[in-house]
């Protein structure tokens, strides 16, 4: 019969452990050098409930470049102070003199607003699939993997006994054997090994 008492649920336990193992290996892979990103964008708030990037995600080298581009549209001016709090930004806000936002409360007339936002961050190039985890988190995940594998061993052995494949004596003996074998495997494990075929 080879088990079945738990309806093959022990396989799911191994899949969880295997996923943890792959994630640990990913986190331990050498990281490519990050690229420094530093640019300005213009956000447009043409709806009371949301805002989006203005003019097809254009990026500008400086605030002045972004402001100059925005103010080429002569219908856009610096916003009145009363509109500043409507935008989630600390930057100078601009407003349209000809267009109003949609879905405003009680049909209130609020002009379309604009904000120039500074984006400054480091990122991995080419959208590299990099998993960053601290050493403390990786160590906790290793222990989670260990506990999951131990739980799988216990569940498998109980499954075989309750399905009639193992006697009680065999159940106890095989648990000891499986646990001892696993602890040897765990102690010798190369956590950084990543099997690309499983990706």
């Amino acid at each position: 019969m080879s088990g079945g008492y738990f309806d093959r649920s022990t396989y799911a336990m191994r899949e969880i452990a295997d996923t943890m193992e792959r994630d640990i290996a990913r986190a331990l892979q050498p990281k490519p050098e990050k690229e420094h990103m530093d640019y300005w964008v213009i956000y447009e708030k043409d709806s009371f409930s949301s805002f989006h990037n203005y003019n097809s995600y254009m990026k500008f080298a400086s605030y002045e470049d972004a402001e100059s581009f925005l103010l080429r549209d002569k219908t856009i001016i610096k916003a009145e102070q009363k509109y500043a709090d409507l935008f989630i930004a600390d930057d100078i806000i601009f407003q349209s003199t000809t267009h109003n936002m949609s879905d405003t409360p009680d049909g209130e007339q609020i002009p379309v607003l604009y904000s120039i936002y500074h984006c400054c961050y480091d990122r991995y190039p080419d959208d590299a699939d990099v998993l960053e985890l601290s050493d403390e988190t990786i160590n906790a995940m290793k222990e989670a993997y260990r506990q999951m594998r131990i739980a799988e061993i216990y569940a498998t052995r109980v499954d075989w006994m309750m399905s009639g494949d193992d006697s009680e004596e065999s159940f106890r003996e095989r648990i000891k054997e499986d646990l001892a074998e696993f602890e040897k495997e765990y102690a010798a494990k190369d956590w950084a090994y990543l099997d690309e075929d499983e990706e």
Side-chain angles (χ1 to χ4, degrees), residues 48 56 69 77 103 136 154 157 177 183 185 191:
F48 188 79
S56 302
F69 178 84
I77 61 174
D103 74 355
E136 292 83 358
Y154 273 99
R157 296 276 57 97
E177 292 170 0
E183 291 296 355
E185 172 197 321
W191 289 102

Side-chain angles (χ1 to χ4, degrees), residues 79-119:
E80 297 174 49
Q81 183 59 41
K82 66 181 180 178
Y83 296 127
D85 294 337
L86 295 177
F87 215 122
I88 305 172
D90 296 326
D91 303 305
I92 296 171
I93 307 300
F94 300 83
Q95 72 182 70
S96 171
T97 58
T98 56
H99 300 310
N100 293 321
M101 290 186 200
S102 62
D103 74 355
T104 53
D106 301 322
E108 186 180 354
Q109 296 295 299
I110 301 175
V112 171
L113 300 176
Y114 305 87
S115 173
I116 299 173
Y117 182 75
H118 188 203
C119 301

